Amino acid sequence: MMMQELPLIAGHFVAARWRERMLDSMALAHYQEQRAQRIVAYVAQHAPFYREHWAGHDVRAWRTLPTVDKQVMMQHFDRFNTCGIQRDTAMRVALAAEQSRDFRPILTGLTVGLSSGTSGHRGLFLVNRAEQAGWAGTMLARTLHDLRPRRLRVAFFLRSNSNLYEQIGGLLLQFRYFDLMLPLADAITQLNHFRPHIVVGPPSLLAMLAQARISGMLQIGPERLISVAEVLEPHDRTQLEQVFGVPVHQIYQCTEGLLAISCQQGALHIQEDLVVLQCEPLAQPPSEGDTTEELRVTPVVTDLWRTTQPIIRYRLNDVLRLDARPCRCGSAFRVIQAIEGRCDDICYFEQRTGGLRPFFPDTLRRMILLADACITDYQVLQTRVGQMEVYLTLAADADWAAVEVRVQASIEQILAHYDCLAAHVTIEQGILASTVGSKRRRVQCRVVV
Ligand SMILES: [Zn+2]
C-alpha cells in the first residue's frame, strides 16, 4: 500500500517546499482565497451538516459563515463527514485500536483516529489516503529542514499510534513508534539501542528523558527534539536545549489539522497554505513584560485541503500569542509566539472595582516561576473564583519555607498590581499525579464563569 502512495507523498513534499519558498504575503492571500472557495463549494455540496448550517448564507463569503466547534462536530459527526460514516462505527474502530494497541484500522479505505482530548471531549478524525499522503509529504518537507539527508532515525512518542504516522516510516526515515504507556526504563533501553537522530514527544516526556540523560542512563545524542501534543513552556524548552545541546522544535497539530510547525530558525509558523487561522482577539490580560507586538487570540480554523471531514470556520479553544515581527527565515507565514493553553484554563480573580479579571496561563506561570529560582516545576488549580491551589517541586537544596513566602508575596503583589482583591492561595509541595498517558496541563481552571 505504501509503495503506491510514494509518488503522491513525494509530490506533496516538493509542493510544500515550493509554496513555503514562493508564496509571499500577496500570493499567499490569493492562494488561500482560491483554495477556500474550492473547498467550501465542495463541502456545501457533499456534507449535509454544513449545507444546512450555512443555509441562507452566501458560501462565497466563507470568512463570515457560521462557526462550528468540537461539540458540534461530534454531535453531527455522521453528516459532518462527506463519506456517510456513522459516529458509532468510527468510534468502535478507533477504540478497538486503542485497546489492542494495533493502530492500523481502516474503515472503508479511511483512517480513523481518536485525538487525545484533555477535557474528556475526545475528537474523532477521518482521513482518506490522498489526505494521508498529503499530510505525510508536507510534514516531512516542513520538519526536516537542514538536517543532512540520510536515512534518519526518528523516535516518536505518542499516546496512540496511527497508520498516519506509520506511513512516513520506510521512506526517508527509519521511524519507530514508542507507546507513551511504555515504562520509562524500557523506553530508555530501547532508545539507547535505536540511537534516534530526532526524538518527537510531548514536553513532559522529553523532560523525563532529559533527567535520564543527566543521570547518564540515557546515552543518545539526537540532533533535534520536536515537541508535540502539550504546551511547550519557555523554561522547558531552555532546559531541554541545555541538556541535549540541540534545538527544540514544535508541531502544533490537532484533530482540526496541522496548524503550525517550527522553521529552521525555531519560530513556530502557522501553516497558512494548509489552514486559514482567523484570529479573534481575547481581552488583553495583565502580564508583566508583555510587548505590544504580542496579541492574544483564539483561532477559528479553516482547513484548505481536507474533504473527508471538512473543517470550515472551526472555533478552537486555544489561547495563542502572535508575533507581529517577520521571521528571519523569510517565510510569509505568520509566527505564533506561544501557545499558552486552552481558553478553559484562564483563571479569574475579583477586581476591586467589581467584576472579574482573566489571568492567562502564561501570567500565572510568571507569577510563580519568577518568584524563586529554586522552583523546578509547578501546577496551578483554580476551583472557584478568587482561589488558587499551587503545587511546587523544588531543587534539592531549596528552603521550602522561604520559597512559600516568596510565592505568596509574588501572587499577592501581582494581583494587587492589576487591581484585584487578594486571593485565597494554598501552596503545597509536590505535583499532582496525572493519569499515565494523559496530557500535562500545568494550569487548570475548573470554574464555570
Ligand atoms: Zn521562520
Side-chain angles (χ1 to χ4, degrees):
M1 176 189 97
M2 207 180 62
M3 294 312 285
Q4 296 164 9
E5 319 287 4
L6 261 174
L8 256 180
I9 296 176
H12 280 284
F13 181 96
V14 173
R17 283 266 160 106
W18 187 86
R19 289 195 304 267
E20 194 175 29
R21 251 202 321 268
M22 302 308 286
L23 290 177
D24 58 18
S25 48
M26 280 262 285
L28 178 63
H30 180 69
Y31 181 84
Q32 286 185 329
E33 186 59 30
Q34 270 196 326
R35 281 220 72 94
Q37 290 295 350
R38 241 164 79 185
I39 204 106
V40 167
Y42 178 89
V43 171
Q45 210 169 17
H46 295 91
F49 165 77
Y50 276 108
R51 190 163 52 238
E52 283 161 33
H53 194 54
W54 297 339
H57 293 268
D58 178 2
V59 296
R60 284 167 304 177
W62 62 276
R63 287 178 181 273
T64 55
L65 287 171
T67 58
V68 294
D69 57 22
K70 181 166 273 171
Q71 208 189 338
V72 169
M73 176 176 82
M74 291 307 286
Q75 196 181 342
H76 302 278
F77 187 86
D78 304 2
R79 300 163 68 257
F80 196 97
N81 73 77
T82 56
C83 300
I85 302 287
Q86 305 285 306
R87 172 184 158 156
D88 292 347
T89 315
M91 190 59 100
R92 211 166 37 240
V93 172
L95 284 175
E98 296 257 320
Q99 273 146 22
S100 65
R101 312 304 287 168
D102 172 7
F103 296 99
R104 288 169 299 175
I106 290 244
L107 185 65
T108 60
L110 301 174
T111 290
V112 187
L114 259 179
S115 72
S116 50
T118 47
S119 55
H121 292 130
R122 301 185 65 188
L124 262 178
F125 66 86
L126 292 174
V127 287
N128 66 22
R129 283 193 175 172
E131 288 167 330
Q132 199 168 326
W135 178 88
T138 308
M139 187 67 111
L140 289 173
R142 300 273 160 89
T143 51
L144 296 182
H145 304 306
D146 52 341
L147 288 179
R148 193 157 53 80
R150 74 211 113 126
R151 197 140 185 266
L152 293 164
R153 289 184 297 274
V154 182
F156 210 139
F157 284 83
L158 289 169
R159 193 188 47 77
S160 60
N161 198 3
S162 157
N163 54 6
L164 204 59
Y165 303 112
E166 289 288 343
Q167 189 163 32
I168 296 192
L171 290 171
L172 306 165
L173 306 175
Q174 195 182 338
F175 175 94
R176 189 172 298 175
Y177 159 69
F178 289 78
D179 197 325
L180 265 186
M181 315 294 273
L182 188 70
L184 189 63
D186 295 348
I188 290 169
T189 309
Q190 291 182 27
L191 282 172
N192 284 338
H193 188 249
F194 184 53
R195 292 176 296 116
H197 299 102
I198 304 176
V199 181
V200 185
S204 53
L205 179 276
L206 297 177
M208 289 184 216
L209 296 183
Q211 288 309 317
R213 183 82 179 76
I214 293 170
S215 73
M217 282 164 63
L218 184 68
Q219 284 137 14
I220 58 171
E223 293 173 27
R224 184 169 300 155
L225 304 176
I226 300 180
S227 160
V228 293
E230 293 169 356
V231 171
L232 175 69
E233 297 190 13
H235 64 284
D236 293 327
R237 182 181 191 150
T238 309
Q239 208 215 359
L240 289 171
E241 289 183 338
Q242 277 167 358
V243 173
F244 287 98
V246 297
V248 180
H249 287 177
Q250 289 188 77
I251 297 173
Y252 176 32
Q253 175 178 242
C254 45
T255 330
E256 296 75 22
L258 181 49
L259 304 182
I261 300 179
S262 298
C263 71
Q264 216 161 320
Q265 304 287 339
L268 185 60
H269 287 271
I270 300 172
Q271 300 297 289
E272 304 208 67
D273 55 341
L274 311 182
V275 289
V276 173
L277 257 56
Q278 294 175 276
C279 293
E280 300 187 341
L282 289 164
Q284 206 58 19
S287 179
E288 299 284 350
D290 254 4
T291 71
T292 48
E293 288 163 320
E294 294 166 350
L295 178 65
R296 275 192 184 77
V297 296
T298 184
V300 175
V301 182
T302 296
D303 191 299
L304 299 172
W305 293 81
R306 282 170 70 183
T307 53
T308 308
Q309 186 181 13
I311 300 292
I312 312 286
R313 297 264 300 150
Y314 184 109
R315 196 173 286 282
L316 203 62
N317 180 24
D318 284 355
V319 180
L320 310 180
R321 219 160 1 112
L322 296 182
D323 195 332
R325 294 164 294 188
C327 182
R328 280 176 297 162
C329 76
S331 167
F333 298 171
R334 283 175 296 169
V335 172
I336 298 175
Q337 180 74 27
I339 302 162
E340 288 195 3
R342 302 156 55 82
C343 295
D344 296 348
D345 293 333
I346 299 169
C347 294
Y348 291 85
F349 295 93
E350 286 167 284
Q351 298 183 113
R352 278 180 220 287
T353 50
L356 300 178
R357 182 147 204 177
F359 279 64
F360 288 83
D362 182 56
T363 311
L364 300 166
R365 177 178 66 81
R366 286 157 179 266
M367 248 183 193
I368 292 161
L369 286 186
L370 299 183
D372 196 304
C374 293
I375 301 170
T376 53
D377 205 353
Y378 77 97
Q379 273 175 341
V380 169
L381 180 64
Q382 186 176 54
T383 54
R384 61 184 166 79
V385 170
Q387 168 269 3
M388 193 158 103
E389 291 162 36
V390 179
Y391 299 87
L392 302 175
T393 53
L394 305 183
D397 55 349
D399 174 355
W400 170 251
V403 173
E404 200 178 357
V405 169
R406 284 195 201 106
V407 172
Q408 279 284 5
S410 168
I411 294 170
E412 209 170 292
Q413 188 202 338
I414 291 173
L415 287 176
H417 179 77
Y418 292 109
D419 221 23
C420 288
L421 297 172
H424 180 75
V425 180
T426 55
I427 303 176
E428 285 181 44
Q429 214 163 346
I431 296 291
L432 293 172
S434 60
T435 37
V436 181
S438 70
K439 282 193 190 189
R440 174 172 66 184
R441 282 159 80 198
R442 285 203 170 102
V443 175
Q444 286 190 44
C445 179
R446 297 189 188 151
V447 183
V448 181
V449 181

